[in-house]
Amino acid sequence: MKLLENSNLDRLNSVLFTKNDDCRIIGRIESYSCKMAGDDKRLFKVFSHDAPPTDLAALAPPQTILSASPNAGNYSRSLSSADENDNPLSHVCSRKTLYYLISTLNASFRPDYDFSHSKSDEFSREPSVTWVQSFIDNTLGTVLGEHYHRLHSTLWNTVDEEIDLKECNVYSYNPDLECDPFGDEGCLWSFNFFLYNLKKKRIVFFTCKAQSASADDDSGLGRDNLDMSDEEMEYFLGIEEEENSMPIVVE
């Protein structure tokens, strides 16, 4: 997996690295090419020893439904999402796709973690892009309030330009505490989502955690970005937004 440079995502990541009186938010959005080369090819051969890459791997149920996010009880599933979740094919993926998800984790968290032995039931296929967008908006909006409201449209427009949300399947990583890179003391919640565009052979990885303000701070956070004015936010992101810009909505 190759990390793709994107200056707009870099600016978003700076804004997603923030804090308030209650917690610190540490978020990253990264784009990866799924084209294999060198070590990737060797690891894929090892991964393929157990079963062909076209075989299906069983996944866990969608975690956006099961997760206790800060405000998870306040929104309900649509009938279409429920129907999709009842489809047995929504609980599987090809082993090749599973390999891409594991390789993305390795690329994003190296050298501190090795996910090579992660099992398929640590991953889920989520009902839809729209459902995951709502989950992320609800989770970050509850914690960051107006700060996230100002960031919202720019965030999803930037992600859409990079990955084409309408063409994506969404997966999540939900490890046990022993394997969780965010399982340290003081972690209030975390999420790890993969927006996978098969046509582009690309994955956008959105990972985020909330750390208790009382926990030891080794994040290196400096200025509190929550204090930015609208003008400062637009200048910092380097993106001029139209007055009545609308958020991305994926059917």
Side-chain angles (χ1 to χ4, degrees), residues 83-99:
D83 291 342
E84 183 175 347
N85 186 47
D86 289 339
N87 182 350
L89 291 180
S90 68
H91 298 305
V92 298
C93 72
S94 71
R95 284 182 55 80
K96 190 169 186 178
T97 296
L98 178 62
Y99 170 79

Side-chain angles (χ1 to χ4, degrees), residues 21-72:
D21 292 338
D22 300 317
C23 64
R24 295 183 290 275
I25 299 297
I26 302 171
R28 283 184 288 129
I29 307 175
E30 298 170 331
S31 181
Y32 290 92
S33 167
C34 295
K35 295 178 181 178
M36 291 185 284
D39 289 342
D40 288 329
K41 290 183 177 179
R42 288 190 289 273
L43 288 172
F44 184 66
K45 286 182 180 179
V46 173
F47 183 82
S48 301
H49 279 169
D50 294 337
T54 53
D55 278 9
L56 296 179
L59 305 177
Q63 294 302 300
T64 51
I65 296 168
L66 302 178
S67 176
S69 68
N71 203 25

